[in-house]
Structures are given as C-alpha cells and as structure tokens.
C-alpha cells in the first residue's frame, strides 16, 4: 500500500498457503559421431515427455492494493452507512471522506482507496482446490546434424541444423463452452481457445575459428545461429484452467471495476447468474450469457509462436606475452515472437461479459548489443588473473497502449550499461593463497513518475548501482601426499557498500513478485571455514 512509502503485509499473495505439485519427466536422447578425414560429423535426436499435475492456488486468498495507509484504515475499519468507513469509504477531492453509496454525497469526485483487488475464483463461489487442479503434458522433440570441418590446420568451420517441436496440451473444456465461447467467431477476439503446437522450429547454425598466424597467438572466432525457446507450462496451464468454467479471475477496485469492493479481508462470492447486458450495462445484450458478468479468462493468441533469437558473435584474442592475452568480443542478438501478456479487456470490446482477458501473445521483440574487452593471464609464476568490462545495449517492451505497442520499445528493465569483473588467484609468502574478486555495474533504468504502464519508458536510472570487493585467504596444511587441512577466511563487501536493491518495475505498489526485497543490500560479511581434502 502507499505510493510514496510502499510496504506489504500478509502471506505471499500469488501462491496462497502452498502448492501441491508432482512433475514427471521422461527423456530419451542419443547422439552418433563419425570421424572421417577432416570432418567430425555428429547427429542425433531427443524426446522429452513432461507431465505436470498440481493444485495451483494463485490469488485464492485475494490481493488488495490501497493508495495509502489512511485509505487502508478507512476501508478496513467497519462503520455504519454514511460514516466514511468500510468498503464504501470514498475520498473526496478536498481530502474529506464520504460514503460512495449515498444518493447525494456531500462532495463530488469521491473515489475508493482500493486501487486494485485480484482474486482467483470458481464459477459460483470462492475457489476450491478443484478450481486450481490441473494435469497437463508436453511432448518435446528434437533432431540435429552438424559437421566440424578442419579445412586447414589453422581454420575450422562448424555448421549444422537443428529442428525442434513442442506439442502443447489440448483444452479440458471445449472452447465453445467457456466464458469466451460466444466471441470465438468475432474477429476482434484474438484466440480460438486452443494452444497451437510449435512444429516449425528450424534452427541453422554456423561458426568458425581461425588461428591467423598458425602459431596460437592470434585467434579470430565467429558464430551465427537461430535459437528457439520453449513455452513454460505455467503459462499454458493458465489458459487451460482460467476459462470461466473451472476458474475465473475477479478484478475490482478503482483501476479495474470500482463496483467490486469486498469487505476486508474477505473474498468476493461470484454468482452463477447470467450476464445479458453489454456496453457498460447501457444496453441489453442480444442473448443471455450463462456466466457471471466480467468473468476473467486467459487464452493463447491465434498467431502464437515460440520465442526466436537471431544471434551473431565475433571475438578476437591476442597473446601479448607468454601466458598473457587480450581479448575483445561483440554479440548482436535480435529477439522476435517474445511472449507478452496483453489484457484485451482494455479495448472494451467484450464488456460486460468478460473482465480481465489476458492473452499470451507473440508480438514482443528485443535487441541486445554487447561489447566486452578483457585481459587474461593463465596461472604461472604463482598467480593468475582475469578482468573484463562490457557495455550492453538491450531493448524490450511492455504494453502502454495496447493499440500501439511500438510505444513500449525502450531500454530493458534490467539493462546494465557497464559492468566490470576482476578475479585473481595468487600464491603469497608462507604458503598462503589469496583470491580477490571485484564486481561493479551501473544502475538499471526506471520510468519517471510511473506506476505500471509507462510512457516514456526507462528514461531515468535507479540508485541500485553495485560495487563489491570480496576476498578469500587460505593456508593449506598438508599431511603426506593425499591429505590437507585448509583454514579459510572470506570477507564479502569489504567496504560495506550500500548496494541498494530495487527490483521493481515502475512502482513497488503494483509489483507482482511474490516476494519483494528492496532497500540496502547485503552488508559486510565475514565467513570462517575449514576444508579437509583427501
């Protein structure tokens, strides 16, 4: 609760008390290799059978989001009608309080302090285990063939092709019998109620390594390829169970449906009555819908496709002196068909029959460009070290305007523009071994004055830059050739840097992580240990 000072209390809202889950996985995999002259040919295949049976109690106990502590106390405190307390409490524009149910309230523009309420529910009552029960399976297939061709003693070419398929589960309830069934023939509705199997994931790949001088001192490497990702089963099961028949999502509060204001800390009990109105209850519908008004559902889009990444990399390493080399590396990766969850309730096309209409879509995209420079010393003369520094330029998106998704294309929420790493292993006098490590990175982006859907997006930076100097000191005491006792001293965050933690996207008030840690990061920590090797 609260826009300025934000905090939470209660159980993790997303998982309820617990999750009952059994996951069965069967995998068969085999590879064959043939070495013939300069060619090393490899081919093979794989089959993975995944069966997930669970009772998922997402939002079964509800989640309340309030605008302030005062608003929460007003809402949660029982009061007589007209008192300005209880679920009908409303804040006037001048800061006074009234009752939202009064026929003639003493002020204009009164709104509820309940910003958002979310609840998983059954069709005609609070959710039970049956509402969250599911048993779905995936079948994953893969075939590949590749060749490593030693064209010349100092030049190797690798090329190959991989094919993958992911077979999704079928709906348990026929789509035409769900809460969204009456819209399946409406071209504005983005789904046909099924999950389309992915059988066309062809992924060619190419790479080379060139020892330029033929003496192992200058090496140029490059690669290009297409990579597909699997869709996780949690996303799939939402579209299997949240169909208005087995389970629905109830959304209330100022930002969803201000007429839904449950009594704190209770739940909404949906009715089994039909919904026969359209357009904000302003006109009768053409027919009765045997589901409650504003039933929340989840579906996959008709044109869904698994995420695909096109990536290219080139790197060069040069030996400066024996055991010491300098290297540079550049990576370009373009992502398409990235999964996005779009709430088509924002279009208003399907009111009042459907509430939240969350669609797993494949219209996301991303761009990553990363440059790394570093130096590496192999272990010799009692020490080794490596350091690298990279610059990254990633972009991603989130729906600000569901009708103009291009507005969302901006820096990734987890963009780290600069990162530096250093580590070493050093043998020092009297048999001691010293291992220092330095990690540093710049801050991640944030959006100005934004709660959830932001435009412009990620134009500022948080104060979560990171720096840590860690080290380990150890001294082996050896007994014969086989045994050693090693006392160890380790110190983390030696300079006790604050290293603020801020994983939020927009406002922490609307962050949907089940557990949310913000504030000062880990302090200086000393760790003592002993290791016995034999």
């Amino acid at each position: 609760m609260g826009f300025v000072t934000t905090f939470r209390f209660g159980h993790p809202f997303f998982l309820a008390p617990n999750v009952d889950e059994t996951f069965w996985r069967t995998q068969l995999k085999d590879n064959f290799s043939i070495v013939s002259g300069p060619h090393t040919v490899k081919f093979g295949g794989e089959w993975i059978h995944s069966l997930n049976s669970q009772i998922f109690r997402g939002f079964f106990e509800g989640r309340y989001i309030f605008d302030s502590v005062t608003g929460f106390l007003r809402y949660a405190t029982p009061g007589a009608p007209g008192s300005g307390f209880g679920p009908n409490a409303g804040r006037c524009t001048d800061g006074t309080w009234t009752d939202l149910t009064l026929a003639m309230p003493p002020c204009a523009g009164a709104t509820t302090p309940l910003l958002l309420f979310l609840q998983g529910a059954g069709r005609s009552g609070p959710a039970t285990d049956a509402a969250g029960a599911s048993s779905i399976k995936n079948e994953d297939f893969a075939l590949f063939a590749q060749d490593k061709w030693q064209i010349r003693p100092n030049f190797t070419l690798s090329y190959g092709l991989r094919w993958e398929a992911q077979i999704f589960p079928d709906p348990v309830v026929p789509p035409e019998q769900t809460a969204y069934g009456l819209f399946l023939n409406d071209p504005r509705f983005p789904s046909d109620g099924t999950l389309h199997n992915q059988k066309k994931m062809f992924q060619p790949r190419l790479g080379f390594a060139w020892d330029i001088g033929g003496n192992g001192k200058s090496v140029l490497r490059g690669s290009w390829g297409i990579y597909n990702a699997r869709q996780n089963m949690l996303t799939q099961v939402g579209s299997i169970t949240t169909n208005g028949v087995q389970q629905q999502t109830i959304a209330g509060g100022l930002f969803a449906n201000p007429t839904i204001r449950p009594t704190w800390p209770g739940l909404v009990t949906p009715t089994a009555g039909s919904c026969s109105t359209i357009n904000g209850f302003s006109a009768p519908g053409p027919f009765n819908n045997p589901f409650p008004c504003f039933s929340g559902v989840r579906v996959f889009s008709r044109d869904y496709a698994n995420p695909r990444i096109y990536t290219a990399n080139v790197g060069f390493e040069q030996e400066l002196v024996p055991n010491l080399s300098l290297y540079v590396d550049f990576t370009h990766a373009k992502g398409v068909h990235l999964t996005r969850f779009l709430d088509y309730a924002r279009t208003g096309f399907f009111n009042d029959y459907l509430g939240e209409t969350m669609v797993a879509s494949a219209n996301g995209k991303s761009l990553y460009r990363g440059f790394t420079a570093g130096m590496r010393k192999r272990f010799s003369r009692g020490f080794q070290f490596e350091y690298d520094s990279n610059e990254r330029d990633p972009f991603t998106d989130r729906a600000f305007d569901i009708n103009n998704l291009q507005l969302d294309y901006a820096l990734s929420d987890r963009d780290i523009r600069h990162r530096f790493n250093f580590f070493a292993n050093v043998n020092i006098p009297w048999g001691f071994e010293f291992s220092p490590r330095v990690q540093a990175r710049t801050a991640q982006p944030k959006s100005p004055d934004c709660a959830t859907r932001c435009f412009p997006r990620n134009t500022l930076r948080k104060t979560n830059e990171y720096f840590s100097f860690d080290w380990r000191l150890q001294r082996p005491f050896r007994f014969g050739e086989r045994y050693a006792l090693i006392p160890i001293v380790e110190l983390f965050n030696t300079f006790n840097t604050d290293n603020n933690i801020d994983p939020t996207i927009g406002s922490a008030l609307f962050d949907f992580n089940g557990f949310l840690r913000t504030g000062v990061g880990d302090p200086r920590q000393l760790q003592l240990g002993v290791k016995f090797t034999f």
Side-chain angles (χ1 to χ4, degrees):
M1 67 183 66
F3 279 103
V4 180
T5 301
T6 301
F7 64 94
R8 298 176 176 181
F9 62 88
H11 296 293
F13 54 84
F14 188 60
L15 296 180
N18 60 305
V19 174
D20 302 325
E21 181 176 19
T22 302
F23 187 86
W24 293 91
R25 180 183 176 118
T26 304
Q27 181 178 16
L28 293 177
K29 180 178 181 180
D30 202 2
N31 301 324
F32 299 89
S33 297
I34 301 174
V35 179
S36 177
H39 294 274
T40 301
V41 179
K42 188 175 182 180
F43 58 93
E46 183 178 24
W47 167 64
I48 299 176
H49 168 79
S50 304
L51 175 63
N52 183 274
S53 300
Q54 66 170 335
I55 299 174
F56 183 72
R57 303 177 180 89
F59 294 109
F60 275 23
E61 296 185 336
R63 183 189 185 187
Y64 290 79
I65 298 179
F66 294 95
D67 62 1
S68 63
V69 174
T70 301
F72 163 68
L73 294 176
R74 282 274 182 171
Y75 188 101
T77 302
S83 64
F85 288 92
N88 295 322
R91 180 188 281 110
C92 303
T93 54
D94 61 2
T96 60
W97 290 85
T98 185
D99 191 306
L100 295 174
T101 62
L102 293 177
M104 297 183 63
C107 65
T111 57
T112 175
L114 177 64
L115 299 180
L116 183 64
F117 171 78
L118 291 174
Q119 175 191 335
R123 180 174 174 181
S124 59
T128 62
D129 282 357
S134 66
S135 182
I136 65 171
K137 68 177 182 177
N138 276 191
E139 307 291 349
D140 292 271
F141 303 94
L143 296 172
F144 77 94
Q146 65 184 52
D147 179 26
K148 183 178 180 180
W149 183 12
Q150 192 75 41
I151 299 177
R152 301 185 63 182
N154 65 333
F155 190 89
T156 303
L157 179 67
S158 299
Y159 55 95
L161 177 65
R162 183 178 181 88
W163 168 82
E164 293 178 332
Q166 184 178 11
I167 309 302
F168 293 132
D170 294 324
V172 176
V173 178
E176 60 273 10
Q177 298 178 17
T178 64
Y180 56 81
L182 70 161
F183 297 113
L184 291 176
N185 294 323
D186 188 330
R188 298 174 301 177
F189 193 72
S191 176
D192 60 11
T194 65
L195 286 67
H196 291 197
N197 297 325
Q198 302 297 297
K199 300 179 181 179
K200 299 180 180 179
M201 295 189 287
F202 293 94
Q203 302 159 76
R205 292 157 192 186
L206 179 69
F208 72 90
W210 180 24
D211 180 357
I212 298 174
N215 54 10
K217 296 181 180 295
S218 303
V219 180
L220 179 67
R221 299 181 178 89
S223 63
W224 173 88
I226 298 176
Y227 299 83
N228 279 100
R230 299 177 71 252
Q231 182 55 260
N232 67 77
M233 298 181 78
L234 177 59
T235 298
Q236 299 169 39
V237 78
S239 296
I240 297 294
T241 60
T242 310
N243 49 32
V245 177
Q246 180 175 344
Q247 184 181 156
Q248 63 169 314
T249 300
I250 296 177
L254 183 64
F255 291 167
N257 183 356
T259 65
I260 297 178
R261 303 188 301 270
T263 300
W264 167 269
L267 300 173
V268 173
T269 301
T271 64
S274 63
C275 186
S276 59
T277 65
I278 58 175
N279 300 327
F281 298 101
S282 61
F287 44 77
N288 289 337
N289 177 22
F291 293 90
C293 291
F294 299 108
S295 294
V297 297
R298 304 184 76 92
V299 294
F300 268 60
S301 64
R302 288 189 180 90
D303 58 355
Y304 172 81
N306 275 3
R308 181 189 305 157
I309 302 294
Y310 300 87
T311 183
N313 172 270
V314 62
F316 177 74
E317 185 168 2
Q318 173 67 52
E319 182 183 75
L320 303 178
V321 295
N323 298 313
L324 180 65
S325 63
L326 176 71
Y327 60 89
V328 292
D329 182 277
F330 176 75
T331 298
H332 177 96
K334 176 67 176 179
V336 297
H337 302 318
L338 302 185
T339 304
R340 301 188 63 185
F341 299 98
L342 302 176
D343 184 6
Y344 272 68
R346 296 168 62 186
T347 65
F349 293 151
F350 314 112
N351 293 346
D352 302 313
Y353 298 109
L354 298 180
E356 180 187 69
T357 307
M358 198 61 69
V359 181
S361 306
N363 48 17
K365 62 180 181 178
S366 67
L367 175 63
Y368 174 91
R369 295 184 293 248
F371 176 78
T372 301
M375 186 173 289
R376 178 184 298 118
K377 182 189 180 300
R378 297 172 178 84
F379 191 82
S380 64
R381 298 183 180 181
F383 75 100
Q384 75 175 93
F385 73 83
E386 180 170 349
Y387 76 84
D388 65 76
S389 175
N390 65 46
E391 297 186 9
R392 304 196 295 176
D393 190 20
F395 291 82
T396 185
D397 50 21
R398 180 175 297 108
F400 168 74
D401 182 348
I402 196 171
N403 297 311
N404 186 4
L405 299 179
Q406 185 61 32
L407 296 177
D408 306 323
Y409 198 65
L411 286 174
S412 165
D413 299 317
R414 294 172 177 82
D415 168 49
I416 299 174
R417 185 53 55 93
H418 304 284
R419 184 192 295 269
F420 176 82
N421 298 290
F422 171 86
F423 72 88
N425 295 302
V426 185
N427 291 337
I428 59 179
W430 302 296
F432 284 96
E433 299 172 356
F434 181 63
S435 301
R437 180 181 66 181
V438 176
Q439 299 178 86
R441 62 168 176 78
T442 52
Q444 295 172 311
K446 70 174 183 179
S447 302
D449 302 322
C450 176
T452 52
R453 299 171 181 137
C454 311
F455 181 78
R457 240 186 93 225
N458 290 343
T459 56
L460 304 177
R461 292 281 169 173
K462 302 176 183 177
T463 57
N464 66 339
E465 59 273 6
Y466 181 89
F467 176 85
S468 182
F469 173 56
D470 314 322
W471 55 266
R472 171 192 289 178
L473 183 66
Q474 63 184 35
R475 170 62 163 90
F477 294 91
R478 305 188 183 280
F479 306 94
E481 297 182 355
R482 298 179 55 192
Y483 305 98
L485 188 67
I486 310 173
I488 301 172
V489 179
E490 294 178 321
L491 189 63
F492 303 94
N493 193 9
T494 302
F495 302 115
N496 205 30
T497 310
D498 285 344
N499 292 331
N500 293 322
I501 297 175
D502 187 1
T504 59
I505 298 170
S507 168
L509 185 64
F510 292 95
D511 193 281
F512 276 77
N513 291 297
F515 295 89
L516 184 63
R517 179 188 176 193
T518 60
V520 176
D522 294 329
R524 180 190 299 120
Q525 299 179 62
L526 177 67
Q527 182 170 287
L528 305 177
V530 62
K531 181 167 63 174
F532 179 67
T533 62
F534 58 92

